[in-house]
Amino acid sequence: EVQLVESGGGLVQPGGSLRLSCAVSGFSLNNYWINWVRQVPGKGLVWVSRIKTDGSDPSYADSVKGRFSVSRDNAENTLHLQMNSLRAEDTAVYYCVGEEARFYYDTSGFSGYYYYMDVWGKGTSVTVSS
Amino acid sequence: DVQMTQSPSSLSASVGDRVTITCRASQSISSHLNWYQQKPGTAPKLLIYSAFSLQSEVPSRFSGSGSGTDYTLTISSLQPEDFATYYCQQSYTLPRTFGQGTKVEIK
């Protein structure tokens, strides 16, 4: 069964650090990416970061670039979101999300990949407050 | 960044109604458009990918359409379990961006 389980959330002071973890099981290492998406309770979804399941090719939203970093722990099949210099506006529920890539080739001769977030963890709550 | 604008922000409907939610991208996203459903206190769930492809085990009353910049999610006959918030999301480019959500409430 494909599963993502987040951990590591909690209360941290502004300027502090926190490391979120996402335990991955049931994924093929091919054609999958792991995203972090956050949501302030009662508000919308905001993409934060993405990394390939082999730990390569990380990307970040401008709002977290230089403060957050993603990495993979090969031994434990776990991905981490290291969050430094935290701000009050980083307060949110953070979801670990599996994004599948599906190849397409259309009648016009174009080809590429469709990406869609089809596996979501339950989320872990981060509160940045003094 | 590609901006995604959903309309309406909320709607009230009755069981059995046909419901349509629209999503407009700030540039062409070539059908790289996904729809998600979120119920309170739970993670979002993928409904539709690549604009019109129904995700496995999603009821056939959900359908998606559109191209270029304009996309639509349709629920053909609203069921009690469909009352939720719906989000569109573009996967054409990074950063991934979501619409602001459409809350479907009971009339």
Side-chain angles (χ1 to χ4, degrees), chain B:
Chain B
D1 297 3
V2 178
Q3 306 302 317
M4 306 299 293
T5 304
Q6 279 181 243
S7 61
S9 296
S10 65
L11 65 90
S12 295
S14 302
V15 172
D17 284 353
R18 181 181 182 88
V19 168
T20 299
I21 299 168
T22 63
C23 181
R24 173 165 287 177
S26 59
Q27 65 179 71
S28 175
I29 54 172
S30 301
S31 298
H32 291 258
L33 189 284
N34 307 315
W35 290 98
Y36 302 87
Q37 176 195 65
Q38 186 178 32
K39 297 181 180 178
T42 69
K45 169 188 170 185
L46 176 68
L47 297 177
I48 302 280
Y49 63 94
S50 63
F52 59 84
S53 298
L54 195 66
Q55 172 67 344
S56 175
E57 299 185 10
V58 172
S60 59
R61 62 180 179 273
F62 291 93
S63 64
S65 63
S67 62
T69 60
D70 295 320
Y71 299 87
T72 299
L73 173 70
T74 299
I75 310 172
S76 60
S77 177
L78 197 66
Q79 298 302 300
E81 60 267 31
D82 301 337
F83 292 96
T85 300
Y86 294 83
Y87 295 93
C88 63
Q89 175 241 335
Q90 64 81 18
S91 58
Y92 182 71
T93 188
L94 293 176
R96 300 289 191 244
T97 46
F98 292 85
Q100 80 278 17
T102 296
K103 187 173 184 179
V104 177
E105 299 176 300
I106 302 172
K107 183 183 282 186

Side-chain angles (χ1 to χ4, degrees), chain A residues 3 6 13 21-22 30-31 34 40 43 46 50 54 61 65 78 82 86 88 95 99 104 126:
Chain A
Q3 200 170 10
E6 306 97 335
Q13 291 189 337
S21 298
C22 175
N30 297 323
N31 292 335
I34 297 296
V40 174
K43 303 296 185 182
V46 177
R50 184 177 91 144
D54 64 2
K65 203 171 290 183
T78 299
Q82 178 67 42
L86 282 162
Y95 293 102
E99 183 181 40
Y104 71 91
V126 172

Side-chain angles (χ1 to χ4, degrees), chain A residues 20-31:
Chain A
L20 305 184
S21 298
C22 175
V24 179
S25 61
F27 278 98
S28 163
L29 291 180
N30 297 323
N31 292 335

Side-chain angles (χ1 to χ4, degrees), chain A residues 1 3 7 14 17 38 41 45 51-52 54 69 74 78 80 84 87 90-91 99 104 109 115 117 119 121 123 125:
Chain A
E1 179 191 2
Q3 200 170 10
S7 60
S17 297
R38 68 186 182 186
L45 300 165
I51 191 169
K52 210 165 185 182
D54 64 2
S69 64
N74 288 329
T78 299
H80 302 288
N84 299 329
R87 307 166 180 167
D90 296 318
T91 294
E99 183 181 40
Y104 71 91
Y115 293 91
M117 299 183 188
V119 184
S125 181

Side-chain angles (χ1 to χ4, degrees), chain A residues 34-120:
Chain A
I34 297 296
N35 293 258
W36 290 93
V37 173
R38 68 186 182 186
Q39 185 175 38
V40 174
K43 303 296 185 182
L45 300 165
V46 177
W47 178 82
V48 172
S49 180
R50 184 177 91 144
I51 191 169
K52 210 165 185 182
T53 47
D54 64 2
S56 67
D57 205 6
S59 302
Y60 303 94
D62 285 346
S63 59
V64 306
K65 203 171 290 183
R67 301 188 298 123
F68 290 13
S69 64
V70 289
S71 62
R72 180 186 172 184
D73 183 329
N74 288 329
E76 297 189 3
N77 210 26
T78 299
L79 290 102
H80 302 288
L81 179 67
Q82 178 67 42
M83 305 187 295
N84 299 329
S85 303
L86 282 162
R87 307 166 180 167
E89 54 265 35
D90 296 318
T91 294
V93 173
Y94 284 72
Y95 293 102
C96 176
V97 190
E99 183 181 40
E100 186 169 355
R102 180 163 295 189
F103 181 78
Y104 71 91
Y105 184 86
D106 66 26
T107 54
S108 303
F110 290 105
S111 65
Y113 287 91
Y114 284 120
Y115 293 91
Y116 45 92
M117 299 183 188
D118 59 348
V119 184
W120 293 68

